[in-house]
Amino acid sequence: MAKDYDSRRLVHIGAERVSNVSSTDFPGHYPNEDHSWNLQKFKERLQVKIQRLSNRSIDFDLVGVDASIANAFRRILIAEVPTIAIERVYVWDNTSVIVDEVLSHRLGLIPLNIDPALMAFKSHTDDVATDRNTLVFNVDITCTRNPNPPPPKPNEEPSPSDLYLNHELLSKHLVWKPAGDQESVFEGLSPPGPTNPNIVLAKLRPGQAISMELHAVKGVGKDHAKFSPVATASYRLLPHIKITKPIPPPLGKKFQKCFSPGVIKIDPNTGEVSVDEENVRKDSVSREALRHPEFADSVELSRVRDFFLFNIETESAYPPERLFPEAVRVMREKISIIRNAAEALKAQLEGTTDVEMVEA
């Protein structure tokens, strides 16, 4: 049997329209009901549960918050959680076919394995590079012919790796040059560098060379997408499927095909059709069942408005399980700024006389 939810929590999905989309959990919407915000009630409803975790991505459920809060976290993940990226490229020599500007852009998009907590933001006023706000990398590569190429294979063209040395500029060719106290700061950690050492940046042929100095700084995604710590950060609402009257066994297979694989199960003995609550989150809510007259009155489709299925893919030094707490930290800082501003404004108004307020 499908899990039952309070109808107030459901966004109803019909064949042609979606209804009950507006949130109603605010004071005054329902007569004689107290919906003022309460910390204890919020704690009781709030749930965060990890469903899947890998080295590059995480799926988790965020339950009991308004869509505005869930979307705030999504936007913070994309635009306001800081990372380290290459900001300035000083080209001493580049005789490859890739022009300086394009190569510099490619370098800026390389994800770096540097924990942003170990670095400070570079000041926008003085713009002075120090060992606390800037990491320096060098690139120095020259392509030459292989003096001892392997013998050619019959009926095969020799590969560039057989004919040439350093025929590709890869991300692993970025060499960190520690300055000041940086060696002690990163002691015991992986040396700063790309998260993926095999990103191809340029192809070279004999006589072509690239020599550059790269400066990496701390930044956020709202300044440039290269600072965004995630490849994707998205959420969707939990699907809710309610079978209102039994599905005839002869129509069971057809009904099952109206939903994503694994969502509808059929009892092999009785032919009874039911919703698999473990797999209902996989449904795409295509509304296919509502397009068939024989099923139109047999099923109700909806989504749970405060049950968010988050998916985050990291593309930075952050492990996936650390990204959401980082977004919470950023939000707490923003709330603290607003609170301090409100308190300062309150203090200013309390110190203002009635005459001054009228004149203002």
Side-chain angles (χ1 to χ4, degrees):
M1 184 176 178
K3 184 176 180 180
D4 203 14
Y5 290 93
D6 184 348
S7 60
R8 296 179 181 179
R9 295 179 63 189
L10 299 179
V11 176
H12 301 296
I13 299 174
E16 302 294 339
R17 62 190 294 268
V18 178
S19 59
N20 196 32
V21 296
S22 301
S23 176
T24 59
D25 53 351
F26 53 87
H29 187 84
Y30 296 104
N32 303 319
E33 293 187 18
D34 181 14
H35 289 277
S36 57
W37 194 83
N38 182 281
L39 179 60
Q40 187 58 37
K41 291 181 180 178
F42 176 76
K43 288 181 177 180
E44 292 172 359
R45 291 195 300 262
L46 180 65
Q47 296 179 43
V48 180
K49 184 178 180 182
I50 296 176
Q51 297 292 339
R52 184 190 62 83
L53 176 63
S54 70
N55 63 335
R56 303 303 297 170
S57 65
I58 183 172
D59 291 339
F60 66 92
D61 299 342
L62 177 62
V63 187
V65 300
D66 188 76
S68 60
I69 302 299
N71 196 48
F73 284 130
R74 182 190 68 85
R75 292 174 64 91
I76 289 172
L77 282 165
I78 294 171
E80 297 189 64
V81 173
T83 64
I84 309 296
I86 293 170
E87 176 72 2
R88 295 192 175 180
V89 178
Y90 299 93
V91 182
W92 311 132
D93 185 20
N94 175 23
T95 54
S96 72
V97 297
I98 307 295
V99 297
D100 296 350
E101 293 83 358
V102 175
L103 183 55
S104 299
H105 185 264
R106 290 184 178 185
L107 290 163
L109 295 175
I110 298 174
L112 301 177
N113 65 352
I114 306 159
D115 187 346
L118 301 176
M119 299 289 293
F121 281 102
K122 195 173 183 180
S123 173
H124 292 290
T125 55
D126 53 23
D127 196 32
V128 176
T130 69
D131 61 335
R132 296 298 299 148
N133 62 28
T134 303
L135 287 166
V136 177
F137 296 88
N138 281 357
V139 173
D140 195 356
I141 183 172
T142 301
C143 180
T144 59
R145 294 188 182 276
N146 187 354
N148 300 303
K153 298 178 182 178
N155 302 321
E156 285 189 16
E157 287 287 334
S159 67
S161 57
D162 294 335
L163 298 176
Y164 315 122
L165 301 178
N166 296 326
H167 70 99
E168 288 181 332
L169 172 62
L170 302 174
S171 52
K172 67 180 180 182
H173 291 130
L174 275 65
V175 180
W176 173 49
K177 296 297 181 183
D181 295 331
Q182 289 180 353
E183 280 190 331
S184 60
V185 171
F186 291 96
E187 186 177 1
L189 303 174
S190 298
T195 57
N196 182 347
N198 298 314
I199 301 173
V200 179
L201 302 169
K203 292 183 179 290
L204 305 175
R205 288 300 179 262
Q208 296 180 345
I210 295 176
S211 178
M212 299 179 294
E213 181 175 295
L214 320 173
H215 289 192
V217 301
K218 187 174 181 178
V220 291
K222 63 183 179 181
D223 292 334
H224 194 288
K226 67 185 177 183
F227 290 111
S228 182
V230 296
T232 60
S234 62
Y235 63 79
R236 57 192 179 92
L237 296 178
L238 177 72
H240 181 249
I241 303 168
K242 183 178 181 180
I243 298 176
T244 55
K245 65 180 183 181
I247 305 296
L251 298 176
K253 288 290 185 181
K254 182 178 181 180
F255 184 78
Q256 188 180 50
K257 291 179 180 179
C258 292
F259 299 88
S260 300
V263 173
I264 300 298
K265 57 184 180 181
I266 301 175
D267 190 293
N269 299 319
T270 64
E272 181 185 4
V273 177
S274 60
V275 179
D276 189 338
E277 287 302 319
E278 294 297 322
N279 291 321
V280 71
R281 64 178 57 241
K282 297 180 180 179
D283 191 51
S284 61
V285 194
S286 65
R287 298 186 273 193
E288 179 64 26
L290 302 180
R291 298 186 177 99
H292 299 278
E294 60 268 37
F295 301 139
D297 298 328
S298 302
V299 62
E300 291 180 358
L301 304 180
S302 56
R303 289 184 182 269
V304 186
R305 74 168 67 253
D306 63 347
F307 200 123
F308 301 91
L309 311 179
F310 263 87
N311 171 260
I312 302 173
E313 298 179 21
T314 181
E315 200 57 56
S316 62
Y318 294 106
E321 65 272 17
R322 185 180 158 192
L323 280 166
F324 189 70
E326 284 293 323
V328 174
R329 180 188 61 79
V330 173
M331 179 175 276
R332 287 172 63 92
E333 291 177 356
K334 294 163 79 74
I335 292 172
S336 177
I337 292 171
I338 294 173
R339 182 177 59 190
N340 292 339
E343 291 175 352
L345 178 61
K346 179 183 177 182
Q348 182 180 1
L349 292 176
E350 287 176 347
T352 304
T353 64
D354 292 340
V355 174
E356 290 173 331
M357 291 185 67
V358 170
E359 291 176 350

